[in-house]
Amino acid sequence: MWVRRAMPVKSSSDKRYLEKHGDKWRVVLSVPRDLHKQLGTKLKQSLETDSLAVANRLKWGVIKELRERIDMALGADVADHAAVLREALLIRKEYRAAMDPNLENDIRRAAEARAYEILGPETAVVHDDEGDFPVYDKRREQLATSYMRVATGSGTPLKLHYAEYLGQLRLNRRTIADDQRGIDYLVSWCAKNGVKDDLSAISTKVAKQFAADLPALANGIAARTVLKYITRLAQYWKFLAYKEIHDENPWLAVVVKVEETPHEEEERAFTNAEVQTLLLGDAAPEMRDLMMIAALTGARLDVIVDLKVGDTANNAFKFKPQKKEKSSRYVPIHPSLAEIVERRTRDKAPTDEFFPEFPGPKKETSLRERSFKASNEFTAYRRRCGVDEQIPGRRRSLVNFHSFRRWFITEAERANVRPELISALVGHKRSGMTLGRYSEGPEMKAARRAIAAVKLPRLDGPVIEAQAVTPRERKGAVKKAAATEPI
């Protein structure tokens, strides 16, 4: 797939990578910032000619040598496929911009010379009736072929632009990990099924077959998970179209049928009895604080563990945006949380962690969210308390940390809090509603009243469960004993 060409440049006026030094031309190549101390800001080498046309013929070999110096300093050799293909991309840009056929030939010859370097020495010689044939390292041979395809524009490996695509994403780590698994599954599937590692090879027919084979390839994942990976692949292809690298998006034609989850099998809110059990259990102090904040704000786990001490100023939590939120959200601090906030902020700086017990991943490259440790600890604690509801064939319990969020919304609704105000508090989409950070105007006052209206179940005796309009009743399910309100 050819991208749009830049305006062609004639060799008689092309000064790219060139500068005049005295009466001679020389090659100048910028050095990455990380190598400035080692190599300086630029590498320069004289071409010993005062002719610009001749300099343009000679510069490509010199540019290749200088780039090799940079790659060696970066620790990149032919084992670093990404670095080699990035180099090929630079050659492709020059190749496509060349107007002079002679200049095109020079660039192609330079690329071929580099491809032979990547190919390396022969590992064996095969003899047959037609003659002797050299055999090369298979991995190097594949890389050399990819290098030439990219450099001359005759092919684009699936992951060639993937790093650039990831760099512009503004998603949480878990979604990015899903994104990467999706493209890795595709590359693996292509290699297994003899499909060329090339964007142009992924037709609608191929995309549909990949989607059909994905459950088996990924250890029997559910249709909903297949749909998630296909959606992420469609986003990568959308990026490629925006960059004018590839203009077809075969994933848009892929249909994955996802059966609707029956109401009684949907993940649900905790019951009051379950909240009571969790809060009265033998939880560690930090876990109990975490559960209390979740229950009385409706906030997601990740935004709670990400809080800084300064995010509790003005008697309100400042939660970072998640999902489709565009800005931070301020939620008044419930009176029952005042002691927790005072204890966790005492003698602390605004930039200190509110929950230092749950640090983020040690590796900066990790795609795990900071809440990973807290989530695992809560799951183990919840199961130890006997708060669980498993459905055969489903990995997740119907109750999990998110059930606190559902419980908060349920209790706020039962306390007659306006639906649009509940949406504002939990960060759901709403219109015409803004809770200011410092404002004590009508909406913030209403928000404080709404938060205070949500009450924890009693912790010193049996609890009463409200009667649900749409009860969950499964055949064969073990019903837990609980007092209910009369209808």
Side-chain angles (χ1 to χ4, degrees):
M1 185 64 204
W2 290 80
V3 298
R4 184 178 296 173
R5 290 175 179 256
M7 290 297 292
V9 181
K10 295 183 179 180
S11 61
S12 58
S13 60
D14 182 9
K15 297 181 182 179
R16 289 168 296 173
Y17 303 106
L18 297 175
E19 71 174 16
K20 205 70 174 288
H21 183 62
D23 61 346
K24 305 291 186 183
W25 289 101
R26 67 181 180 186
V27 172
V28 180
L29 197 64
S30 295
V31 173
R33 186 181 297 275
D34 294 346
L35 298 178
H36 282 184
K37 290 184 179 180
Q38 182 178 349
L39 300 178
T41 58
K42 294 181 179 180
L43 294 181
K44 301 178 181 181
Q45 185 169 322
S46 176
L47 295 171
E48 300 299 330
T49 179
D50 58 3
S51 167
L52 181 56
V54 173
N56 271 305
R57 297 283 182 86
L58 299 176
K59 69 182 181 182
W60 297 108
V62 175
I63 289 171
K64 183 175 71 67
E65 292 174 3
L66 296 182
R67 282 183 178 143
E68 287 175 357
R69 283 184 60 190
I70 292 173
D71 281 345
M72 287 181 65
L74 288 170
D77 57 16
V78 293
D80 187 343
H81 285 212
V84 172
L85 295 181
R86 284 197 300 271
E87 175 190 319
L89 270 178
L90 295 174
I91 298 297
R92 175 191 286 197
K93 290 179 182 178
E94 305 300 334
Y95 186 78
R96 289 178 170 178
M99 184 176 181
D100 187 337
N102 292 325
L103 180 57
E104 255 187 32
N105 290 334
D106 289 340
I107 297 172
R108 186 179 183 89
R109 280 197 294 270
E112 289 173 346
R114 173 60 170 144
Y116 275 110
E117 288 180 0
I118 295 169
L119 185 61
E122 60 192 43
T123 58
V125 176
V126 175
H127 307 279
D128 62 20
D129 294 339
E130 297 183 5
D132 300 336
F133 299 93
V135 176
Y136 298 94
D137 178 84
K138 188 173 182 180
R139 190 163 174 266
R140 281 179 167 268
E141 188 173 20
Q142 290 175 342
L143 181 57
T145 301
S146 295
Y147 180 90
M148 281 304 296
R149 285 169 48 210
V150 174
T152 59
S154 60
T156 306
L158 298 175
K159 295 184 71 173
L160 181 59
H161 299 276
Y162 194 72
E164 182 186 358
Y165 161 70
L166 280 186
Q168 53 85 49
L169 290 179
R170 296 295 179 266
L171 300 170
N172 62 41
R173 293 181 177 186
R174 186 180 303 172
T175 304
I176 289 177
D178 289 336
D179 218 306
Q180 291 181 314
R181 276 192 294 272
I183 190 70
D184 287 342
Y185 279 136
L186 177 61
V187 172
S188 174
W189 180 86
C190 286
K192 184 178 179 180
N193 290 274
V195 177
K196 189 177 179 182
D197 180 15
D198 193 326
L199 291 175
S200 62
I202 310 301
S203 62
T204 298
K205 182 178 179 180
V206 169
K208 289 180 178 179
Q209 188 60 52
F210 168 73
D213 293 348
L214 187 52
L217 183 67
N219 300 317
I221 57 175
R224 193 176 300 277
T225 307
V226 171
L227 178 61
K228 175 175 64 177
Y229 290 136
I230 298 301
T231 301
R232 298 315 310 163
L233 287 168
Q235 288 301 308
Y236 176 41
W237 258 253
K238 182 179 178 180
F239 166 82
L240 296 172
Y242 176 77
K243 288 289 186 176
E244 299 183 2
I245 296 167
H246 190 74
D247 59 1
E248 294 181 6
N249 195 336
W251 306 106
L252 298 180
V254 177
V255 176
V256 179
K257 293 183 179 180
V258 178
E259 293 185 6
E260 186 175 348
T261 303
H263 173 65
E264 63 271 13
E265 295 185 9
E266 292 177 345
E267 294 184 6
R268 62 171 176 82
F270 287 129
T271 63
N272 283 334
E274 288 169 334
V275 172
Q276 181 193 64
T277 298
L278 292 168
L279 294 180
L280 289 178
D282 62 345
E286 64 272 15
M287 181 55 66
R288 191 176 191 282
D289 290 350
L290 197 64
M291 293 188 295
M292 287 284 290
I293 294 174
L296 295 176
T297 62
R300 296 181 177 91
L301 175 59
D302 194 53
V303 300
I304 300 176
V305 297
D306 262 358
L307 284 171
K308 304 288 186 184
V309 168
D311 292 332
T312 62
N314 306 106
N315 199 27
F317 290 112
K318 176 186 176 183
F319 293 125
K320 69 179 184 181
Q322 279 203 322
K323 301 291 183 178
K324 297 182 179 180
E325 295 178 85
K326 296 182 179 180
S327 61
S328 299
R329 184 175 78 261
Y330 295 89
V331 177
I333 295 173
H334 194 285
S336 296
L337 299 177
E339 183 276 329
I340 294 175
V341 174
E342 194 281 327
R343 168 165 43 86
R344 287 189 166 274
T345 60
R346 189 185 305 139
D347 300 325
K348 300 285 184 67
T351 55
D352 287 344
E353 301 291 346
F354 191 76
F355 275 104
E357 301 91 342
F358 301 114
K362 293 181 180 180
K363 293 183 179 179
E364 292 184 1
T365 56
S366 174
L367 293 177
R368 287 179 174 174
E369 296 172 333
R370 179 174 176 175
S371 57
F372 182 80
K373 180 176 182 289
S375 178
N376 284 350
E377 290 186 11
F378 173 76
T379 300
Y381 171 70
R382 173 179 58 75
R383 289 171 178 168
R384 193 165 69 246
C385 290
V387 178
D388 200 9
E389 188 169 0
Q390 294 288 343
I391 295 293
R394 291 193 58 173
R395 180 178 60 87
R396 281 168 59 100
S397 169
L398 298 191
V399 287
N400 44 58
F401 196 89
H402 206 73
S403 295
F404 280 120
R405 181 174 172 86
R406 297 185 176 96
W407 179 86
F408 172 85
I409 293 172
T410 301
E411 293 304 307
E413 183 181 18
R414 288 172 177 171
N416 295 318
V417 178
R418 302 196 319 269
E420 67 271 16
L421 189 50
I422 297 176
S423 295
L425 291 170
V426 299
H428 287 167
K429 185 177 181 181
R430 64 194 189 277
S431 59
M433 172 70 68
T434 302
L435 300 179
R437 178 175 184 180
Y438 300 107
S439 170
E440 287 294 338
E443 295 303 343
M444 181 52 81
K445 285 183 177 180
R448 294 196 186 282
R449 289 194 298 269
I451 286 291
V454 176
K455 306 293 185 183
L456 290 172
R458 60 184 299 181
L459 302 181
D460 58 354
V463 298
I464 296 178
E465 300 289 358
Q467 178 67 44
V469 175
T470 53
R472 299 165 183 266
E473 297 179 354
R474 285 192 302 280
K475 295 180 179 178
V478 177
K479 296 184 179 180
K480 297 181 180 180
T484 59
E485 293 180 339
I487 299 178

